[in-house]
Amino acid sequence: MEPFEHIDAKTVDEASRLLEEYPSKLIAGGTDLLGMLKDRVLPSYPELLVNIKSIPGLDRIEGDEGGLKIGALAKLADVAASPLVKEEYPLLAEAAHSVATPQIRNMGTIGGNPA
Ligand SMILES: Cc1cc2nc3c(=O)[nH]c(=O)nc-3n(C[C@H](O)[C@H](O)[C@H](O)COP(=O)(O)OP(=O)(O)OC[C@H]3O[C@@H](n4cnc5c(N)ncnc54)[C@H](O)[C@@H]3O)c2cc1C
């Protein structure tokens, strides 16, 4: 692994600014990214990892009249275990529960999954 800086972003605006200003990557649970850094499979190596787990409020799972809202930092395990998701969106709960292993589901986030 090559050296990199690590910053705990406090807000979405701060994370966005850091991404613009530096050769950087967001890090959430790190389940995919750290492996990619170790294996050096990214086209370019980031100088900075911007941790977004330090931004409050991004892990919410909420329902309203517009539907289901899942924050980018909601963990796969939390989506799978959410009473709201299990009751109203059982296929989503099942899909989240089917991902990988308990360790990955307890660290990996919804936002990091498609990225
Ligand atoms: C052994 C193993 C088995 C797996 N099996 C499955 C499987 O069966 N099915 C499946 O669907 N997935 C599977 N995965 C993928 C897993 O779902 C992801 O590793 C996890 O969701 C990534 O979340 P993270 O928070 O750890 O992301 P990180 O590793 O922190 O980040 C991954 C990528 O997403 C970016 N990123 C993170 N958060 C955001 C954000 N909020 N906005 C924009 N970009 C962001 C990062 O910059 C990075 O490029 C597996 C992974 C592993 C390691």
Side-chain angles (χ1 to χ4, degrees), residues 25-34 36 52 72 76 98-101 104 107-113 115:
K25 295 284 287 182
L26 295 181
I27 181 164
T31 61
D32 268 348
L33 183 62
L34 293 175
M36 288 192 279
I52 55 172
L76 291 160
S98 73
V99 172
T101 61
I104 300 291
M107 292 290 294
T109 63
I110 281 284
N113 183 262

Side-chain angles (χ1 to χ4, degrees), residues 75-93:
K75 292 174 184 159
L76 291 160
D78 294 336
V79 175
S82 159
L84 169 66
V85 178
K86 287 206 293 195
E87 177 73 24
E88 301 287 335
Y89 306 91
L91 287 180
L92 178 57

Side-chain angles (χ1 to χ4, degrees), residues 50-87:
V50 181
N51 176 30
I52 55 172
K53 291 188 298 300
S54 42
I55 303 176
L58 291 185
D59 59 351
R60 292 197 192 118
I61 301 172
E62 297 171 340
D64 63 18
E65 65 283 350
L68 181 66
K69 293 181 180 170
I70 302 180
L73 284 181
K75 292 174 184 159
L76 291 160
D78 294 336
V79 175
S82 159
L84 169 66
V85 178
K86 287 206 293 195
E87 177 73 24

Side-chain angles (χ1 to χ4, degrees), residues 4-9 27-28 34 47-54:
F4 52 78
E5 298 290 320
H6 180 277
I7 290 182
D8 292 333
I27 181 164
L34 293 175
E47 291 175 14
L48 172 67
L49 294 190
V50 181
N51 176 30
I52 55 172
K53 291 188 298 300
S54 42

